Amino acid sequence: MNKGGAQQEGHSSKQVENIVLVGRTGNGKSATGNSLIGKRVFVSKAHASGVTMKCQTHEAVTKDGHRINVIDTPGLFDIALSAEFISKEIVRCLTLAEGGIHAVILVLSARTRMTQEEESTLSTLQALFGSQILAYVIVVFTGGDVLEENNETLEEYLGRDCPAFIREVIKLSSNRMVLFDNRTHDEGKKAEQVHKLLSLVDKIRKTHHGEAYTDDMYHEIKAEQHKLLKKHEELESKNHPPDLVSLMKDKLQASYQEKMDQMSSTMEKKLKTALEEQDNMSSALSATVGFLPDGMPTLSVSVPMKPLRGGHCSIL
């Protein structure tokens, strides 16, 4: 893993923490972003027929004094979105995360059952952000109001309904998870759940000595941005006619965009490979035919899964 960005001692009020929201459309990504910002800035599915189709970013200073830059991404596990589109938007996400990523918030829903697409969570995150991204992941379960109505804790919910891939994500992200109720009007509850989430962001920051997460792709993007800026400065310093300056700037921008498209293409290939491998695992069923004592045939089907330590969902 490559790390970059400014290193901070303690918690500097000048340090902006880049928090990236990922997850399936409908899980409450945008609503969670609004809870973090403290007002409705991201359009959530509950309030519009459309969904987040482009990376959006908003900055805020929280009541705890955190300066946060929240980046909402398109639904990563939506079969309606192409790998090409998702890859381009994640490259754009990395350009918005100045100084690197301080936390990735994986938003899951306690309201609905996990989808087959979400089973590719691990491989998708690593294909898009790099192999070590799980060291910066926090899992947020939305739908806290539903569990409260059922008089059920998050631990009890996970104990009865915890797919293997969720168990693995939580384990690899060091059990960092928070239950969110984005529908509550209780100001105390709103503040408490945001405080819990930002405390986990702080914990990640301290674990990594204040260094944000970056990977090779991030450094390539920043290098291209720096080159573009330098060439613009050089162009401005010369006494060229305005029309020529405009034309040359257009050419520089086209060259820069071509580089960004190449990076998106590289990421797209990684994502497709990861999804194909996951699909092959899911479809590689093995069946065994046997017979009961009375001669009736039996068929047992097994699905190959990555070995996990522990056979149940006691993850806390």
Side-chain angles (χ1 to χ4, degrees), residues 4-44:
Q7 191 169 9
Q8 67 182 81
E9 296 295 332
H11 185 77
S12 168
S13 60
K14 294 181 181 178
Q15 175 75 12
V16 177
E17 295 176 329
N18 294 311
I19 299 173
V20 179
L21 299 165
V22 300
R24 183 171 61 90
T25 300
N27 279 0
K29 272 188 307 94
S30 299
T32 299
N34 291 336
S35 293
L36 279 168
I37 296 292
K39 59 184 178 180
R40 189 179 298 166
V41 291
F42 299 111
V43 179
S44 63

Side-chain angles (χ1 to χ4, degrees), residues 50-200:
V51 296
T52 302
M53 293 300 289
K54 294 278 185 184
C55 284
Q56 303 171 45
T57 179
H58 287 277
E59 280 194 34
V61 178
T62 69
K63 291 178 181 178
D64 291 346
H66 288 74
R67 285 190 65 205
I68 58 174
N69 179 38
V70 180
I71 303 170
D72 193 12
T73 64
L76 295 188
F77 312 108
D78 296 347
I79 55 176
L81 298 180
S82 69
E84 178 186 7
F85 176 82
I86 291 171
S87 299
K88 283 184 176 179
E89 282 306 301
I90 294 304
V91 167
R92 186 164 174 268
C93 165
L94 294 175
T95 67
L96 296 171
E98 188 62 43
I101 296 172
H102 295 86
V104 172
I105 310 300
L106 172 61
V107 182
L108 302 172
S109 175
R111 296 177 181 278
T112 57
R113 294 192 65 81
M114 305 299 169
T115 65
Q116 185 177 350
E117 288 76 33
E118 285 174 305
E119 291 186 23
S120 64
T121 296
L122 278 175
S123 52
T124 299
L125 285 175
Q126 290 174 327
L128 294 174
F129 294 102
S131 60
Q132 301 301 315
I133 191 60
L134 286 166
Y136 287 77
V137 166
I138 300 167
V139 183
V140 165
F141 288 90
T142 60
D145 53 316
V146 173
L147 297 191
E148 188 175 335
E149 284 174 13
N150 295 335
N151 199 27
E152 189 175 28
T153 66
L154 178 59
E155 293 80 2
E156 290 168 340
Y157 164 76
L158 292 172
R160 68 171 172 78
D161 194 6
C162 183
F165 75 94
I166 295 299
R167 198 161 63 228
E168 188 171 7
V169 169
I170 293 172
K171 184 179 78 170
L172 292 176
S173 57
S174 302
N175 291 344
R176 290 184 296 268
M177 58 183 178
V178 184
L179 180 65
F180 253 57
D181 177 2
N182 290 315
R183 297 184 176 183
T184 184
H185 296 289
D186 184 330
E187 294 300 324
K189 183 187 281 188
K190 286 181 185 178
E192 182 185 3
Q193 61 192 19
V194 169
H195 176 73
K196 282 182 181 177
L197 179 51
L198 294 178
S199 293
L200 290 176

Side-chain angles (χ1 to χ4, degrees), residues 246-260:
S246 178
L247 179 63
M248 293 178 76
K249 280 187 177 180
D250 287 345
K251 286 184 177 179
L252 287 174
Q253 186 62 39
S255 175
Y256 170 77
Q257 190 56 55
E258 186 180 348
K259 291 287 176 64
M260 293 299 104

